[in-house]
Amino acid sequence: MSRLGKIDVVSIDDLDTSEIERVFALADGFAEGLESGGQITTASGLIMATLFYEPSTRTRLSFESAMHRLGGAVISSADMQASSAAKGESLADTVRVVSGYADLIVLRHPHDGAARVAADYAACPVLNAGDGSREHPTQTLCDLYILRKKKGHLKGLTVALCGDLKFGRTVHSLIYALARFGANIVAVPTAGMDVPDYVLQRLASERNYSFSTVTMDELKTLAGGLDALYLTPSAPHQMALFTGDEATRKIPSVEPPLALDAFYITRLQKERMTSKEINAGEYVRFDARALKTSRTQEAVVMHPLPRTGELAYELDSDPRAVYFEQAAAGVPVRMALIAWLIEKSKAAQVRARTVAEPIRFKSEAPPRCANPNCITRFEGAYLRPRFKMARSADPAILALKCDFCERELKIEYVGHARSHRFYRFDENLQGYVRQWIEEGSLAVFESVKQAEEGGYEPYKRGPQREMMRSEEVAHAIESLADQLIAEMPEMTGVSIVGVISRGAILALRLRDLIERKTGVRAPCAALDVYSPAEAVHPIDGTDNFDVEGRTIILVDDVINSGWTVQRAMATIWQRGRPAAAKLAVLIDRGHRAVPIRPNYVGKNIPTSRTERVQVRLAPSSDDSKAVSHDRVMIYSIVEPLKETEAAR
Ligand code: NCD
């Protein structure tokens, strides 16, 4: 059991301003103590565990050095690939176990929101040493500590943040902190690498703070002919220098003249990008010329390191280059943070984290976070997505905010659990949705199909027509099986994946039919596009479902927007490389605006956008009585909901 109070530092905002000041005061003391070489025993008897799921030099070694210097002990897994994580252990289990061995966990992880998960499950305090592209609060403590030391204060300083402001987690924590201390920020992102919306929204809603974003050229003008920020294209043949003269065009909302107190340069966070993003454009290159103008000559140059070409080595000998001091501050500042933790635990001042209740959803599948790097997309089913209402400026938009990675999710369809009706969200529903959240009866859906799968009916439904009866459905399924066999008479190498729920039923019925006709029983799996964990699982007599090198037949009852098929294909490709993938659908509505054309079709039923095709299928074709319930119905949706009538 941890001897420390449960004080987690997941975000820089987990420390209030006076606590940061206290950490700095302690750091001053430790910096002196380190120089004089005295014995420090602040942490004697305590054990810190470092869990690093991503490479690190500075953060890990300075944390470990800090704990040793404090007289504490360190345990660590040299490489998390060599730990049980490689065997598939969940983050929650790992930190629960490690809490039994250590008094404090320092975690670095590639996924956004991982530190929040670890903090929720570990019995001991968790310090975030960088989670995906989200935050890196202890780096910010080092950054602020050095900036204040150099400038004497933080309030009123103007700091230019340059480079990859999208994925740079150190930048995000620094922005929150600079806002808190009343500094001015000028963001100078390279193209496409702007500060993400969720960071801006948090600043606006929690601190009523905003800042200007300028291009490199605009900054040059603002800083008075600043002559040395130039761009290097990543493709060498485009090499071009922009050296200031052309920068007389429009001035953004910052008032010139602008004296800069600091440049904070960052590297391109390649490991978080697709190759397309990496090759997309030019990246900042910063050299000594940037410090030559009257408005920049007082500026210090900061960088969290490592640098990868964006910062010229010629700057290193300039006293204004403080990046190695930032790195060196890692030890006293992290000593101070641990000492503060001990101090706070002793004072028994540990306050419970006040968190707003997450929304309880009444649907079978709560929405999933839209951020592909969110921790909820990688951990097992134990980690339920968790959302709060996002404060949206536009009342016509319903947005939720992921409790782990903070990314917003726009909701298009909402449902009421008692009436089992769903609606396309619009402004008139605001009040109702709030009420449903309070009652715990809100359901949200990503698509009409998902709502229908959940047993919800549209609020307004037009007349319903029967399009196919059971014999016709049976005939269509048979025709699908025949088409498949005609093209692949051997049927070996073929595996069938059905989209849950009706696609999976159809897949099994197809598999049985094919077996009857050819004697070959194809492996069968069900795929759930709404549940990323264990999304593909073998069904009905299939033990192992392999994707690699197989011909995959993806089966669904109807394709509507093509969204389901796209997501299903992506999920299949995540598991391996099939030799080929084909799509079989019972009903083809006519490809309207659908990017995917089914290869095998049971029946064509051209339908308009406002019409819905609903399929009812008995689980197995063995039971002829059940099969007589097979139906294809068509109805139209009358939308959008105009009147403010309640959903009872
Ligand atoms: C940073 C990180 O890992 O986020 N490095 C660090 O901790 N000093 C910045 C980076 O890797 O670019």
Side-chain angles (χ1 to χ4, degrees):
M1 208 49 222
S2 170
R3 301 174 200 185
L4 295 174
K6 178 71 177 144
I7 305 157
D8 304 301
V9 182
V10 170
S11 164
I12 188 67
D13 284 336
D14 287 332
L15 294 162
D16 67 27
T17 307
S18 66
E19 290 170 331
I20 293 178
E21 298 287 0
R22 176 66 189 148
V23 170
F24 289 169
L26 286 164
D28 286 339
F30 287 127
E32 272 172 38
L34 285 173
E35 246 167 60
S36 59
Q39 186 75 18
I40 302 169
T41 56
T42 313
S44 92
L46 293 178
I47 299 176
M48 176 179 85
T50 47
L51 300 180
F52 277 60
Y53 291 77
E54 248 191 4
S56 166
T57 308
R58 270 152 295 275
T59 306
R60 179 184 199 133
L61 295 184
S62 65
F63 252 120
E64 295 185 354
S65 167
M67 192 59 175
H68 285 299
R69 294 273 194 225
L70 286 171
V74 177
I75 57 173
S76 182
S77 184
D79 168 10
M80 289 310 287
Q81 290 313 317
S83 79
S84 285
K87 300 179 198 156
E89 183 169 58
S90 69
L91 179 59
D93 284 357
T94 303
V95 298
R96 266 193 289 222
V97 168
V98 173
S99 310
Y101 308 152
D103 304 292
L104 163 69
I105 291 175
V106 177
L107 177 91
R108 169 168 291 189
H109 199 283
H111 298 140
D112 305 340
R116 177 77 270 142
V117 174
D120 285 357
Y121 284 89
C124 67
V126 171
L127 303 181
N128 180 7
D131 62 332
S133 58
R134 225 182 59 89
E135 281 207 53
H136 192 347
T138 66
Q139 178 64 41
T140 293
L141 290 174
C142 301
D143 298 341
L144 289 181
Y145 182 70
I146 291 299
L147 183 59
R148 200 186 61 160
K149 198 162 152 189
K150 296 293 163 188
K151 295 289 166 185
H153 59 99
L154 293 169
K155 193 175 166 66
L157 293 182
T158 300
V159 181
L161 305 173
C162 309
D164 179 354
L165 310 186
K166 180 179 179 187
F167 293 112
R169 55 194 172 199
T170 68
V171 171
H172 302 158
S173 292
L174 184 60
I175 287 175
Y176 300 135
L178 289 174
R180 177 122 59 95
F181 282 94
N184 305 307
I185 294 170
V186 183
V188 198
T190 35
M193 295 285 121
D194 297 76
V195 177
D197 282 346
Y198 75 94
V199 174
L200 302 179
Q201 272 151 8
R202 176 162 149 190
L203 282 175
S205 72
E206 290 176 14
R207 309 222 168 264
N208 198 13
Y209 183 97
S210 65
F211 55 80
S212 301
T213 296
V214 303
T215 64
M216 217 69 74
D217 286 347
E218 287 163 346
L219 183 72
K220 286 177 208 165
T221 312
L222 286 168
L226 171 60
D227 198 24
L229 278 176
Y230 58 94
L231 302 169
T232 55
S234 35
H237 63 273
Q238 297 171 348
M239 185 65 80
L241 291 182
F242 296 82
T243 42
D245 310 328
E246 67 280 73
T248 43
R249 55 197 184 85
K250 78 168 174 31
I251 306 296
S253 54
V254 200
E255 295 281 306
L258 180 82
L260 289 175
D261 298 291
F263 288 99
Y264 190 93
I265 318 292
T266 57
R267 84 181 159 90
L268 190 67
Q269 305 282 311
K270 283 196 178 146
E271 68 274 38
R272 316 224 182 276
M273 300 176 161
T274 60
S275 51
K276 222 163 76 218
E277 282 174 311
I278 294 174
N279 297 321
E282 302 144 320
Y283 202 73
V284 60
R285 229 192 100 75
F286 191 90
D287 67 29
R289 289 176 293 171
L291 302 176
K292 291 216 165 90
T293 82
S294 60
R295 299 202 180 109
T296 58
Q297 62 191 12
E298 300 289 317
V300 292
V301 182
M302 307 181 73
H303 194 302
L305 301 180
R307 63 176 149 186
T308 51
E310 61 282 351
L311 198 54
Y313 278 79
E314 67 182 27
L315 275 164
D316 296 359
S317 53
D318 191 307
R320 292 165 294 183
V322 301
Y323 28 89
F324 289 115
E325 287 176 71
Q326 282 168 267
V331 176
V333 168
R334 290 186 170 105
M335 285 172 82
L337 182 65
I338 297 167
W340 166 80
L341 246 169
I342 296 169
E343 199 173 89
K344 211 167 158 73
S345 304
K346 281 198 187 127
Q349 301 169 321
V350 184
R351 58 189 145 83
R353 214 167 72 93
T354 44
V355 281
E357 271 280 297
I359 300 171
R360 288 173 293 133
F361 292 104
K362 259 292 175 343
S363 43
E364 287 59 32
R368 77 165 180 171
C369 181
N371 169 13
N373 195 44
C374 178
I375 185 73
T376 54
R377 293 209 168 198
F378 297 90
E379 291 292 301
Y382 78 88
L383 190 61
R384 301 278 292 171
R386 212 160 72 194
F387 293 92
K388 306 220 174 83
M389 287 289 275
R391 268 183 255 176
S392 174
D394 182 353
I397 290 173
L398 177 66
L400 306 177
K401 186 163 147 186
C402 173
D403 213 16
F404 298 99
C405 76
E406 300 183 77
R407 237 48 68 84
E408 287 199 356
L409 178 71
K410 287 201 181 75
I411 297 297
E412 238 186 297
Y413 300 95
V414 295
H416 183 257
R418 243 180 309 140
S419 70
H420 263 244
R421 300 269 177 196
F422 73 88
Y423 311 76
R424 181 191 280 283
F425 183 81
D426 71 18
E427 211 168 326
N428 298 323
L429 282 170
Q430 279 282 356
Y432 292 106
V433 166
R434 281 181 202 288
Q435 194 184 324
W436 300 345
I437 289 175
E438 265 169 45
E439 301 168 0
S441 58
L442 175 72
V444 300
F445 308 105
E446 292 177 50
S447 66
V448 170
K449 178 162 176 167
Q450 189 189 15
E452 288 174 346
E453 292 274 2
Y456 283 70
E457 297 237 349
Y459 172 65
K460 282 208 160 176
R461 201 188 231 256
Q464 178 170 310
R465 278 175 294 144
E466 188 180 77
M467 296 302 288
M468 289 165 82
R469 309 172 131 271
S470 62
E471 317 79 66
E472 291 165 284
V473 175
H475 183 76
I477 298 177
E478 178 127 15
S479 137
L480 266 180
D482 291 340
Q483 290 170 47
L484 276 156
I485 297 166
E487 198 170 306
M488 292 164 290
E490 298 295 323
M491 284 313 283
T492 45
V494 172
S495 298
I496 305 178
V497 178
V499 176
I500 286 174
S501 54
R502 262 145 347 223
I505 296 173
L506 185 59
L508 285 177
R509 285 178 58 172
L510 268 177
R511 196 265 317 261
D512 291 350
L513 257 179
I514 292 171
E515 187 180 5
R516 230 172 284 155
K517 289 172 188 254
T518 65
V520 179
R521 192 174 160 88
C524 218
L527 188 155
D528 186 350
V529 286
Y530 298 106
S531 138
E534 293 150 38
V536 182
H537 52 90
I539 44 172
D540 195 40
T542 301
D543 296 328
N544 286 314
F545 191 83
D546 286 328
V547 166
E548 199 66 39
R550 306 282 300 175
T551 296
I552 301 288
I553 311 293
L554 184 68
V555 180
D556 204 358
D557 57 345
V558 185
I559 39 169
N560 291 299
S561 66
W563 172 92
T564 308
V565 175
Q566 272 167 358
R567 194 183 265 193
M569 291 291 189
T571 309
I572 290 168
W573 252 266
Q574 270 166 18
R575 301 196 111 216
R577 277 281 121 196
K582 310 232 169 177
L583 175 63
V585 295
L586 184 64
I587 310 296
D588 182 359
R589 299 181 55 189
H591 313 306
R592 211 165 286 94
V594 173
I596 292 143
R597 237 166 217 283
N599 306 81
Y600 311 103
V601 174
K603 190 175 163 85
N604 284 292
I605 304 182
T607 13
S608 85
R609 260 187 189 291
T610 53
E611 282 174 316
R612 298 288 306 164
V613 174
Q614 210 170 22
V615 175
R616 215 162 64 188
L617 284 180
S620 142
S621 46
D622 290 346
D623 185 347
S624 58
K625 214 150 125 222
V627 170
S628 69
H629 286 288
D630 287 354
R631 281 283 179 290
V632 175
M633 311 294 287
I634 188 163
Y635 64 86
S636 51
I637 298 176
V638 185
E639 62 169 356
L641 175 76
K642 281 280 180 291
E643 55 272 74
T644 45
E645 241 262 70
R648 307 282 154 180

